[in-house]
Amino acid sequence: MRAALLALGLVLMTLAAPAAQADIYAYTDSNGVIHMTNVPQGNPQYRMVMRTPRMAVAAARASFNRQARERYQPLVAAAAARFGVSQALINAVISAESGYNAGAVSPKGAMGLMQLMPGTADRFGVGNAFSARENINGGTAYLAHLLRTFGGDLRLAIAAYNAGSQAVVQSGYHIPPYAETQNYVPRVLSFYQRYLTDGDGAAGHAQAGLIQVSSP
């Protein structure tokens, strides 16, 4: 029994690490073997032995995103200066598109930090969409193009980044009536406002002459 309790303690210490993402359940069978799971699936023998705080996982994920964002800021700043787009907007799109995961691939085939489709990557000279530098440059060049296309209207440029320019035009220069795009635009705008308020991309804000926010 003492050995079993020691083993249980060691396992709990492991499961208590920041990577743990669920409550832990356990029971000891007739042979003294401890069974543990985070998915008891209605087995009445299991009893909760540890509650994992969900906020710890969320905080760990947020911390990772902050570290990744900081790592890419020199590339973001360079792209902002080159193409005249706010750093805050570039960061907002990256946050919404990939969460700063340079290896991200969407089910539709969009790639990298700014989730460039193969055609868009080719159009803006991106040879390797998984290169952070190339991806950020290509995505920022695309944003600058969309801002010019839609007269600096931030909402329409963001909508076009998600749904394509033609969809915005066919919708009468309004946000297209697609659920994904309808959710995407306010999400990016929320990140954008937060980065402006928090100071992320503040240097790029001085170059935001192309940007205006239209009324809904």
Side-chain angles (χ1 to χ4, degrees), residues 9-214:
L10 291 173
V11 172
L12 289 177
M13 287 175 63
T14 300
L15 291 171
Q21 299 185 31
D23 298 333
I24 308 302
Y25 300 80
Y27 80 90
T28 303
D29 65 22
S30 58
N31 296 317
V33 177
I34 299 174
H35 300 264
M36 305 190 72
T37 183
N38 63 336
V39 187
Q41 297 180 332
N43 187 330
Q45 298 180 85
Y46 280 108
R47 295 289 182 271
M48 185 187 295
V49 295
M50 175 175 289
R51 182 177 295 280
T52 302
R54 294 182 182 275
M55 287 305 295
V57 178
R61 185 178 295 114
S63 176
F64 171 80
N65 286 344
R66 280 195 300 271
Q67 292 174 10
R69 187 168 70 242
E70 290 171 4
R71 183 165 69 248
Y72 294 123
Q73 287 318 294
L75 299 179
V76 170
R82 179 178 177 183
F83 297 104
V85 175
S86 167
Q87 287 181 227
L89 179 58
I90 299 170
N91 278 311
V93 170
I94 294 174
S95 294
E97 290 285 351
S98 70
Y100 293 89
N101 178 2
V105 179
S106 79
K108 296 180 181 179
M111 301 172 288
L113 289 166
M114 299 188 75
Q115 288 290 275
L116 302 179
M117 293 296 290
T120 304
D122 289 342
R123 180 181 177 187
F124 290 95
V126 178
N128 177 10
F130 298 109
S131 160
R133 183 184 302 275
E134 290 190 47
N135 193 287
I136 291 173
N137 280 336
T140 304
Y142 186 33
L143 277 174
H145 165 76
L146 293 174
L147 286 164
R148 289 191 296 270
T149 298
F150 294 103
D153 189 309
L154 184 57
R155 294 171 68 251
L156 295 185
I158 293 170
Y161 194 95
N162 177 259
S165 297
Q166 194 61 31
V168 174
V169 174
Q170 291 176 346
S171 298
Y173 288 84
H174 293 92
I175 298 174
Y178 310 141
E180 178 183 332
T181 308
Q182 293 279 337
N183 292 327
Y184 179 81
V185 173
R187 185 165 181 242
V188 173
L189 286 174
S190 177
F191 279 122
Y192 175 65
Q193 293 296 335
R194 189 176 82 190
Y195 290 144
L196 288 179
T197 301
D198 293 348
D200 277 353
H205 186 44
Q207 305 169 18
L210 288 173
I211 297 173
Q212 66 184 48
V213 180
S214 67

